[in-house]
Amino acid sequence: MAKARSQFVCQSCGTVHTRWAGKCDGCGEWNTLVEEGTTSGGIGGGPSGLRSARKGRPVALTTLSGEIEEAPRIVSGIGELDRATGGGFVRGSALLVGGDPGIGKSTLLTQAAAALAGKGHRVVYVSGEEAVAQIRLRAQRLGADTAPVELAAETNVEDILATIADGRRPDLLILDSIQTLWTDMADSAPGTVTQVRACAQAMIRHAKSTGTAVVLVGHVTKEGQIAGPRVVEHMVDGVLYFEGEGGHHYRILRTVKNRFGPTDEIGVFEMSDRGLREVPNPSELFLGERSAAAPGAAVFAGIEGTRPVLVEIQALVAPAPPGSPRRAVVGWDSARLSMVLAVLEAHCGVRFSQHDVYLNVAGGYRIAEPAADLAVAAALVSSLTGLALPVDCVYFGEISLSGAIRPVAHAQQRLKEAEKLGFSQAVMPASGDDKSVQGARRAFQPATLSDLVARIAGSRARDAAD
Ligand code: TYD
Ligand code: MG
């Protein structure tokens, strides 16, 4: 019989230590080690799961080729959600929906549950966070209270499994949230890495063995004191993160992992007083706050997953008091901004050393693509010179350290979206195939960044000539 031994588990990365230490060797975080009991019965215990040796049972080996069963999906009918999941929830799979507290995870899943239950699927919603009355209030507000969703406020995994064992197998089981669940198989407090892992393991096993699609909700905590969803990311079949900027109403559901579909996909929603509303055309949303031609604004033609998104990039370059000038960025990588500034200084003779530089991506949107370099550079030069860029022009392209403009993927798609929204000009990299340029009626394809700077600076002269 195994003796329970305690171990110290990092609440940030899950590394197991035999002894307490102030700093975790695994991730370098401080004060994240918490004493936890080991799991008995071997659920999620990993190498330290203490069990008496069992004689192995041979499994049937198979080949890589062969019949593939089409992963049958449960389509919610909420287009942006189905897009992010890659075409609906997959039966027998486990999906993690993570996000900051209060971002709208419960709202989204209540809406999905109601939509699916309305179509005749058996949907069970188990909340460990809120009382039944609170969930009913939310459902009323969403106009979803008449949907035949089966609801429970419960936190024990064994009780939940016993509950759903009765009757028809649920098509969808939502557990809100994984941090509140606990299982008899692990002897740590709910929310610790050991418990979160053991509960996730039990629910994933249930999904695989019964064919129910299981959705686990996970709060992301910055402090890492409560085990975040990161420790279950590798166990589940799909991971979606629900994101949003404080003060803005829209939310982005981002696919981070998907064993049954594409990643890098996004679904866009707007939080209203009656729940989440789909935003089928995000470009209109991000360009909605756009002002008429003003210096420092450039529209970037970006790609999110398979979808083109136009966003406005705003720069403010202002004279700085003596000392070190400020660089502040919202919605983009600050190291990338430093690089663009350095290239402008080194290769184009544009000086920012006496100026504060502020960069903002409109609407609180976050850009990860290097293709935004060209739009950022255009916005910076425009703000510095006080010369507004043409209102009907989009920008995309990567800038190399030598000042050359490098081609980026999906040029055609970016141009098509731009044209659809009334942009008739584009500043973009020269690419091998001339086909891609046909989309924009007037395309300027600079070979180097200084060509673009010269064009912006020359616009004053052109205006005077007009
Ligand atoms: P919730 O779904 O409870 O967030 P999470 O489960 O991620 O913690 O959403 C909470 C926020 O959403 C709360 O601040 C109120 C807001 N909200 C609306 O603005 N409109 C609505 O219709 C609902 C239900 C919530
Ligand atoms: Mg919630």
Side-chain angles (χ1 to χ4, degrees):
M1 184 55 205
K3 192 165 120 300
R5 216 176 32 180
S6 61
Q7 55 184 8
F8 297 86
V9 182
C10 172
Q11 302 296 300
S12 173
C13 70
T15 305
V16 179
H17 303 250
T18 49
R19 207 171 285 138
W20 191 84
K23 187 179 175 187
C24 171
D25 302 336
C27 62
E29 290 284 326
W30 287 89
N31 289 326
T32 54
L33 264 56
V34 169
E35 182 172 2
E36 295 183 9
T38 52
T39 47
S40 52
I43 289 186
S48 58
L50 302 168
R51 274 198 300 177
S52 51
R54 174 178 74 88
K55 195 162 184 317
R57 169 177 59 82
V59 296
L61 297 171
T62 181
T63 57
L64 280 175
S65 66
E67 282 288 294
I68 301 168
E69 231 178 276
E70 244 296 75
R73 292 175 179 272
I74 312 166
V75 182
S76 70
I78 302 174
E80 296 295 303
L81 173 64
D82 292 334
R83 177 203 297 277
T85 52
F89 298 108
V90 177
R91 287 184 198 279
S93 78
L95 180 72
L96 174 72
V97 177
D100 292 332
I103 205 75
K105 300 180 294 296
S106 305
T107 306
L108 176 69
L109 291 168
T110 307
Q111 286 181 258
L116 284 165
K119 289 186 182 183
H121 293 290
R122 182 177 181 206
V123 182
V124 178
Y125 192 113
V126 181
S127 177
E129 307 233 316
E130 291 156 307
V132 168
Q134 280 174 296
I135 304 164
R136 284 189 180 148
L137 266 175
R138 180 189 286 117
Q140 262 173 27
R141 196 163 155 188
L142 300 172
D145 49 338
T146 52
V149 175
E150 292 168 58
L151 180 66
E154 181 49 61
T155 52
N156 181 268
V157 167
E158 284 73 26
D159 292 348
I160 293 169
L161 293 179
T163 308
I164 54 175
D166 284 346
R168 178 156 72 100
R169 176 200 75 182
D171 296 291
L172 183 68
L173 170 63
I174 298 167
L175 299 158
D176 187 2
S177 66
I178 184 75
Q179 277 110 343
T180 55
L181 294 186
W182 61 280
T183 164
D184 305 331
M185 305 299 272
D187 44 15
S188 312
T192 55
V193 169
T194 309
Q195 276 289 357
V196 166
R197 270 205 196 131
C199 294
Q201 195 96 64
M203 296 320 303
I204 292 165
R205 188 178 307 161
H206 176 78
K208 304 258 182 267
S209 61
T210 61
T212 297
V214 170
V215 175
L216 305 171
V217 175
H219 292 297
V220 177
T221 48
K222 301 209 167 59
E223 297 76 25
Q225 273 310 312
I226 300 172
R230 304 236 175 265
V231 295
V232 292
E233 264 183 8
H234 69 279
M235 297 159 63
V236 292
D237 300 300
V239 178
L240 302 180
Y241 275 104
F242 208 31
E243 306 171 345
E245 252 340 287
H248 289 285
H249 286 299
Y250 75 87
R251 304 277 182 268
I252 292 180
L253 190 61
R254 199 179 286 277
T255 317
V256 177
K257 165 176 174 177
N258 193 349
R259 285 188 182 146
F260 307 110
T263 51
D264 296 336
E265 202 52 271
I266 59 166
V268 184
F269 296 90
E270 196 174 4
M271 182 63 99
S272 71
D273 55 346
R274 319 195 101 246
L276 292 157
R277 203 178 57 75
E278 289 180 65
V279 179
N281 192 343
S283 298
E284 278 170 11
L285 182 74
F286 300 130
L287 289 176
E289 305 171 11
R290 202 152 170 258
S291 46
V299 175
F300 165 54
I303 296 276
E304 272 289 352
T306 57
R307 172 164 24 175
V309 179
L310 299 194
V311 271
E312 186 182 73
I313 291 180
Q314 304 159 348
L316 176 63
V317 178
S324 57
R326 293 195 53 159
R327 265 83 180 110
V329 193
V330 178
W332 205 48
D333 183 12
S334 58
R336 200 92 204 159
L337 172 66
S338 305
M339 193 208 86
V340 172
L341 289 172
V343 173
L344 280 167
E345 297 220 357
H347 297 292
C348 312
V350 185
R351 305 251 169 267
F352 291 96
S353 52
Q354 314 266 308
H355 290 86
D356 289 337
V357 174
Y358 301 91
L359 191 80
N360 179 41
V361 178
Y365 184 70
R366 197 166 49 78
I367 300 174
E369 269 192 295
D373 291 354
L374 207 54
V376 169
L380 289 170
V381 174
S382 163
S383 178
L384 182 71
T385 57
L387 297 166
L389 301 168
V391 269
D392 61 343
C393 186
V394 295
Y395 297 79
F396 62 90
E398 188 180 338
I399 297 171
S400 74
L401 286 178
S402 65
I405 311 290
R406 303 181 41 176
V408 293
H410 310 299
Q412 186 90 63
Q413 245 179 304
R414 297 174 201 265
L415 290 172
K416 232 162 80 196
E417 174 79 357
E419 202 179 26
K420 205 167 88 191
L421 291 167
F423 291 84
S424 56
Q425 302 184 53
V427 173
M428 55 182 281
S431 62
D433 57 337
D434 284 338
K435 245 190 14 255
S436 62
V437 190
Q438 287 168 3
R441 265 182 285 143
R442 282 180 290 155
F444 174 59
Q445 297 178 295
T448 64
L449 190 52
S450 40
D451 295 345
L452 175 63
V453 173
R455 184 180 167 94
I456 296 171
S459 67
R460 193 196 315 245
R462 274 202 304 279
D463 285 350
D466 279 349

